[in-house]
Amino acid sequence: MIIDILTLFPNMFENFLNESIIKRAISNNFVKINIHNIRDYSEYNNKQVDDTPYGGGSGMVLMCDPIFKAVEALKKDDTKVIMMTPQGYKYNQTKAYELSKLKHIIIICGHYEGFDERILSIVDLELSIGDYVLTGGEIPSMVVTDSVVRLIDGVINKDSHLNDSFNDKLLDYPTYTKPRVYKGMEVPEVLLSGHHANITKWRNEERIKKTKEKRPDLMEG
Ligand code: ADE
């Protein structure tokens, strides 16, 4: 899979690409992640990329041309173009699975003060990572990239995401490690029993209990 990310702040991605599972997925060739500075595609004076909004209002708006040029340069036949914006469809694990099956995605990081609406004419999917507003689409693009890359076949052990929260509309079960007792808090007895059927049953019950308490909306859909 190839992920091309268009951003005004390429430095924000340095640590993200050079740590942990993402780093390993890149070096093992499961994914190629390219960071592109939108400014490099500007043909305006001083590499301009934004301008004041028509109709007035505060802030600067991301211009069409640098984005159109970048997408034209990078797009192939099977590319999905994604725009990160708080106005997008809400991102979730199901979307992450869908995206993890694709060959090539371009992710455009929206600008904190908005972008020219005509950019959407070359976008296949607008995504929001939640009902809050960040200063730009960079962190949201990392959220999407991280959640997609870990689902690419071979990147992590399949068992590790089989029981992920959300896979079957339930949150994940609680886990514990050593020591058995910490500050008076004990690991549930069943986990020490070695009785696999009972452990599975307990975990399923805990998933349902947790979900009912914290995210009943997941069970309704
Ligand atoms: N840009 C700013 N806030 C965002 C959000 N919640 N989701 C996606 N992109 C964003």
Side-chain angles (χ1 to χ4, degrees):
M1 173 182 225
I2 298 174
I3 305 178
D4 284 301
I5 300 179
L6 307 185
T7 172
L8 291 173
F9 304 102
N11 293 344
M12 285 180 74
F13 292 85
E14 256 166 43
N15 291 340
F16 172 63
L17 298 180
N18 283 300
E19 298 286 350
S20 186
I21 291 170
I22 299 294
K23 178 184 180 174
R24 210 177 61 212
I26 294 168
S27 48
N28 291 340
N29 293 320
F30 287 111
V31 66
K32 196 167 185 320
I33 303 176
N34 307 308
I35 308 299
H36 305 271
N37 192 336
I38 295 168
R39 242 170 249 291
D40 293 341
Y41 293 90
S42 171
E43 293 178 3
Y44 297 113
N45 287 339
N46 304 318
K47 300 267 169 207
Q48 184 184 358
V49 289
D50 52 13
D51 211 331
T52 51
Y54 279 119
S58 65
M60 300 290 275
V61 175
L62 198 56
M63 301 166 93
C64 285
D65 198 59
I67 301 290
F68 271 64
K69 291 262 158 54
V71 171
E72 273 162 26
L74 299 167
K75 199 172 151 88
K76 301 177 201 145
D77 289 343
D78 53 2
T79 303
K80 191 160 195 108
V81 181
I82 297 170
M83 168 69 112
M84 301 311 306
T85 158
Q87 285 92 42
Y89 295 95
K90 203 184 265 180
Y91 187 62
N92 60 22
Q93 190 70 4
T94 307
K95 263 267 109 31
Y97 268 106
E98 284 169 27
L99 297 181
S100 75
K101 306 289 175 220
L102 300 179
K103 286 215 170 67
H104 182 210
I105 58 181
I106 296 176
I107 308 181
I108 307 167
C109 302
H111 202 22
Y112 51 107
E113 282 158 340
F115 52 86
D116 191 311
E117 191 77 6
R118 291 167 291 188
I119 290 173
L120 295 182
S121 66
I122 54 165
V123 166
D124 301 309
L125 178 64
E126 290 174 77
L127 285 180
S128 161
I129 61 162
D131 294 340
Y132 40 82
V133 180
L134 297 158
T135 54
E138 281 70 21
I139 291 172
S141 77
M142 291 184 220
V143 168
V144 169
T145 301
D146 188 284
S147 54
V148 167
V149 169
R150 70 186 282 281
L151 294 176
I152 296 173
D153 274 346
V155 169
I156 57 172
N157 183 335
K158 256 217 159 93
D159 290 349
S160 312
H161 55 75
L162 228 56
N163 287 316
D164 278 350
S165 290
F166 314 118
N167 275 358
D168 43 13
K169 305 192 173 192
L170 292 176
L171 298 178
D172 206 352
Y173 54 75
T175 53
Y176 299 84
T177 187
K178 294 178 184 69
R180 250 190 72 167
V181 183
Y182 184 71
K183 293 190 192 288
M185 296 178 282
E186 292 188 16
V187 172
E189 199 62 41
V190 62
L191 298 179
L192 311 169
S193 67
H195 192 301
H196 293 298
N198 282 354
I199 293 173
T200 303
K201 182 167 170 282
W202 179 85
R203 285 178 169 164
N204 285 337
E205 286 164 2
E206 288 297 311
R207 296 186 75 192
I208 293 167
K209 204 163 88 188
K210 256 192 186 207
T211 311
K212 274 190 177 151
E213 182 192 329
K214 293 191 263 185
R215 293 295 306 278
D217 57 299
L218 290 176
M219 300 176 86
E220 283 155 15

